[in-house]
Amino acid sequence: MISLRVKVCVSLQVVWMGINIFLFLWFYFFYDLGDQFFYTRKLLGSALAWARAPAAVLNFNCMLILLPVCRNLLSLVRGSFVCCSRTMRKQLDKNLTFHKLVAYMIALMTAVHTIAHLLNLEWLNNSRQGVYDKLSTDLSKLEDTESSTYLNPIRIKDMIPTYFAFTTIAGLTGVIITLALILIITSSMEVIRRSYFEVFWYTHHLFIIFFAGLVFHGAGRIVRSQQSTNPPHNVTFCKDRSDDWGKIPECPIPQFAGGFPQTWMWVIGPMILYLCERCLRFIRYMQTVKYRKIVMRPSKVLELQLVKNGFKMEVGQYVFLNCPAISQLEWHPFTMTSAPEEDFFSVHIRSAGDWTDKLIDLMQQLPEETMFPTTICTELGVDGPFGTASEDVFDYEVSMLVGAGIGVTPFASILKSIWYKFKDSDPNLRTRKIYFYWLCRETHAFEWFADLLQVLEKEMEERGLGDFLTYKLYLTGWDQSHATHVMVHFDKETDVITGLKQKTCYGRPIWDKEFEQVCKENPTSAVGTFLCGPEALAKVLEKKCAKYSDIDPRKTKFYFNKENF
């Protein structure tokens, strides 16, 4: 079953692709059929259109590439505008996916544009050498002085194409742009980003050089078109009479000029927006951040409780952290585990790479008497908060929360906020049922989160709302000794791992069974399914949401949401 949500998502992608196809075809035929480019096509053939059409698509996508990473702008659109519907917010949550999609299009169009211009360069050089017919040779000889009315940009007869590529504005900036793009894309590969994040981070900032080269690339004006003259130069009559050019009134010497550079007009707006974004980030970086508490949790998980003046958050949001002692430029995203009702914000950081390892080591080296300070200033930059899909959890009457490993962090914020809402008897709480699933490989990983679940479990029972929260914890890795220990204590009232009344499950959830249960218990509800976890699990859950969504709008429908940062 394909829901309306999926159809809208696909249609937005189709609109983007449709604009790309339209621009490519429009400019292809403009250069391939336009009378003003007749003599230019005589020198370059179809490679002229194959070079210029991708350039138009590149302009469009270079205009878009910065917008998905303007996080403050996206958060403003997502959270502040009433007109921003649930479907539109879901599209904003896919900002990085769209960023990558646009990058792939830029890479493809750059390859086509570069190959076509390499062929153009070879043909221009051959025309200059007189290799082809008489008309091509005569066109290449036009205005062999300092005049700007020439057609062939290779002005020296014995010039080699490589020399032209490295000594002209268009050639040199083209080489710089291409090299920067290659480094950006190759360093963005999953294996590089996960294993050598610093390489990815620093090379990604070559986008500054990329955009600088892009703005000046068209200033060379090497693609030239025929200009109007008085009397007019009739191509149909004069193309076979090059010896008579300038000698008879019907065939004055043809005049040529390069087109006005347009790329800067496409990218100037997004560049200004991104510059404002970076200024705002710098201002936030300069604001003082204080430690409220530092706790080392099991499985090498660091909990930081932080305080910052004027900081306001919503459930499920995330922040970027920077530690100058480790790196002045690196910023890493972490979902906040605190609730908006608390007077601080917290993050849980798992050891998952060089940066996180160094941060944990720095915190562990603090003197014992400062391990739990209340107002100790720290060199820590915080940018955010930024909106995510989990912000919408209270927009649904029923929610399924699925966390894998440290992916439980946004749901810690949500469950804490629910506890406060029940405590304060919040009349605006729309949610009436939550299903929570947590998948972990190690038993120790449950410990830091079990306390919160115990408090919620007790609170719900005291208020007679034991059915409000249904949670299931899944241990996906164990050994024989652990299994024996569980069997010995099987009759205990509470779980031997978490101390909760709900016993830990072993293995992975049978999602068909879980979705069938949710459908049975909520036959007329819109169910928001939220995941913070690996892409493989996201694909499974998205398929289940589509499978178990009823075509009848009055019955159960599932809406899939995934954390994406």
Side-chain angles (χ1 to χ4, degrees):
M1 181 62 59
I2 301 178
S3 65
L4 177 62
R5 172 184 60 80
V6 177
K7 290 180 180 178
V8 173
C9 176
V10 172
S11 67
L12 290 177
Q13 293 180 1
V14 169
V15 168
W16 171 77
M17 183 58 71
I19 294 175
N20 280 291
I21 294 173
F22 169 78
L23 287 173
F24 188 95
L25 293 178
W26 176 272
F27 281 91
Y28 181 90
F29 289 115
F30 177 76
Y31 283 95
D32 196 53
L33 301 177
D35 292 338
Q36 68 271 42
F37 296 103
F38 179 86
Y39 283 139
T40 312
R41 288 194 299 272
K42 180 61 181 177
L43 297 185
L44 303 178
S46 61
L48 170 65
W50 279 103
R52 299 308 303 157
V57 179
L58 278 170
N59 286 338
F60 173 63
N61 284 277
C62 288
M63 177 187 70
L64 296 177
I65 191 69
L66 290 178
L67 297 179
V69 292
C70 290
R71 297 189 292 266
N72 289 288
L73 175 63
L74 294 178
S75 293
L76 176 65
V77 174
R78 193 187 195 287
S80 301
F81 294 172
V82 177
C83 62
C84 193
S85 65
R86 177 189 296 170
T87 302
M88 181 57 67
R89 290 199 303 270
K90 288 178 66 60
Q91 300 312 306
L92 295 176
D93 292 335
K94 297 179 181 292
N95 60 315
L96 292 186
T97 301
F98 183 69
H99 177 72
K100 295 175 184 177
L101 199 62
V102 172
Y104 295 148
M105 182 62 74
I106 290 176
L108 175 61
M109 291 298 103
T110 298
V112 176
H113 180 75
T114 302
I115 292 172
H117 268 316
L118 288 174
L119 294 174
N120 289 337
L121 200 58
E122 183 66 22
W123 288 330
L124 288 172
N125 185 60
N126 288 342
S127 295
R128 185 63 182 167
Q129 306 298 329
V131 174
Y132 302 132
D133 57 18
K134 185 177 186 300
L135 178 58
S136 298
T137 303
D138 290 342
L139 287 170
S140 298
K141 290 180 179 179
L142 286 174
E143 292 295 336
D144 200 12
T145 63
E146 293 300 320
S147 174
S148 61
T149 61
Y150 59 85
L151 175 60
N152 192 332
I154 296 183
R155 310 308 302 143
I156 302 175
K157 187 172 183 180
D158 296 326
M159 178 186 291
I160 59 175
T162 305
Y163 178 81
F164 179 86
F166 286 94
T167 57
T168 60
I169 294 176
L172 186 59
T173 56
V175 171
I176 293 173
I177 290 172
T178 304
L179 290 177
L181 186 62
I182 290 173
L183 289 173
I184 291 172
I185 292 178
T186 54
S187 65
S188 300
M189 297 172 61
E190 187 75 12
V191 61
I192 300 295
R193 197 168 68 251
R194 288 190 175 275
S195 302
Y196 306 98
F197 184 84
E198 293 83 359
V199 175
F200 158 75
W201 182 262
Y202 288 113
T203 55
H204 225 64
H205 282 75
L206 290 174
F207 81 91
I208 299 172
I209 296 176
F210 176 84
F211 273 92
L214 197 66
V215 168
F216 290 102
H217 183 59
R221 305 189 184 194
I222 62 171
V223 176
R224 308 175 72 79
S225 61
Q226 186 178 347
Q227 304 297 297
S228 299
T229 57
N230 188 19
H233 180 97
N234 189 322
V235 172
T236 305
F237 178 76
C238 301
K239 65 179 181 179
D240 298 322
R241 295 177 173 82
S242 58
D243 290 337
D244 295 331
W245 290 354
K247 299 177 181 178
I248 58 176
E250 296 85 353
C251 296
I253 297 176
Q255 306 292 303
F256 300 93
F260 180 76
Q262 297 183 352
T263 300
W264 68 270
M265 293 188 290
W266 288 83
V267 301
I268 189 66
M271 288 174 67
I272 292 174
L273 285 174
Y274 188 77
L275 182 61
C276 294
E277 172 88 8
R278 296 309 292 252
C279 290
L280 180 57
R281 292 185 195 178
F282 180 75
I283 293 171
R284 286 177 169 173
Y285 169 74
M286 297 302 293
Q287 293 174 335
T288 302
V289 179
K290 299 178 181 179
Y291 283 147
R292 181 180 182 272
K293 196 174 184 180
I294 305 171
V295 183
M296 279 306 304
R297 299 291 185 179
S299 298
K300 207 173 183 182
V301 173
L302 171 68
E303 178 184 356
L304 295 179
Q305 295 184 8
L306 307 170
V307 178
K308 185 178 181 182
N309 290 335
F311 189 91
K312 295 181 180 180
M313 62 165 288
E314 298 294 335
V315 294
Q317 291 187 325
Y318 68 96
V319 293
F320 275 77
L321 298 184
N322 169 267
C323 183
I326 300 174
S327 172
Q328 290 281 349
L329 299 178
E330 284 188 50
W331 291 80
H332 295 263
F334 297 96
T335 305
M336 289 179 288
T337 53
S338 52
E341 293 82 359
E342 294 173 316
D343 60 356
F344 64 91
F345 64 99
S346 64
V347 293
H348 283 70
I349 302 171
R350 177 174 60 89
S351 175
D354 293 342
W355 192 89
T356 53
D357 287 341
K358 291 176 182 177
L359 181 64
I360 292 173
D361 289 341
L362 283 175
M363 297 303 168
Q364 288 178 323
Q365 291 172 11
L366 289 175
E368 187 67 27
E369 63 270 15
T370 64
M371 276 303 293
F372 303 98
T374 55
T375 56
I376 294 182
C377 293
T378 178
E379 288 293 330
L380 191 67
V382 176
D383 186 21
F386 302 109
T388 67
S390 296
E391 274 189 273
D392 299 334
V393 68
F394 294 135
D395 291 342
Y396 298 91
E397 292 182 351
V398 181
S399 294
M400 294 177 67
L401 313 179
V402 183
I406 201 66
V408 74
T409 49
F411 309 132
S413 174
I414 292 168
L415 295 178
K416 282 183 181 180
S417 184
I418 288 174
W419 181 81
Y420 280 106
K421 291 180 186 299
F422 274 113
K423 185 178 178 181
D424 300 334
S425 300
D426 188 346
N428 297 320
L429 181 60
R430 179 183 177 188
T431 307
R432 57 179 178 80
K433 180 68 176 178
I434 285 183
Y435 298 86
F436 174 58
Y437 306 86
W438 190 17
L439 291 67
C440 267
R441 293 182 181 179
E442 302 173 355
T443 57
H444 294 298
F446 290 106
E447 295 178 12
W448 72 270
F449 193 60
D451 293 341
L452 173 60
L453 290 177
Q454 287 176 353
V455 172
L456 283 171
E457 195 174 56
K458 182 179 179 181
E459 184 76 16
M460 300 304 173
E461 288 182 357
E462 291 177 353
R463 295 177 178 270
L465 298 169
D467 294 334
F468 178 86
L469 175 64
T470 296
Y471 65 90
K472 295 183 180 180
L473 310 183
Y474 289 86
L475 184 62
T476 58
W478 69 89
D479 54 26
Q480 185 60 43
S481 62
H482 176 76
T484 303
H485 178 68
V486 172
M487 291 177 63
V488 170
H489 297 87
F490 181 76
D491 295 333
K492 277 193 171 185
E493 185 177 350
T494 57
D495 186 72
V496 296
I497 299 175
T498 63
L500 297 166
K501 292 183 178 180
Q502 172 68 47
K503 298 297 181 70
T504 300
C505 304
Y506 295 87
R508 300 182 182 278
I510 302 174
W511 290 114
D512 285 303
K513 180 179 177 181
E514 300 300 332
F515 275 83
E516 288 172 359
Q517 178 184 349
V518 174
C519 286
K520 182 179 178 180
E521 296 177 358
N522 308 276
T524 61
S525 298
V527 182
T529 304
F530 297 85
L531 168 69
C532 187
E535 191 63 35
L537 181 56
K539 292 179 180 178
V540 172
L541 291 178
E542 189 165 19
K543 289 180 180 178
K544 300 304 179 186
C545 286
K547 177 180 178 181
Y548 288 96
S549 290
D550 200 289
I551 191 173
D552 189 341
R554 296 169 297 179
K555 296 185 178 180
T556 307
K557 295 190 76 67
F558 291 88
Y559 296 87
F560 180 72
N561 303 269
K562 183 182 182 300
E563 297 297 307
N564 188 23
F565 55 82

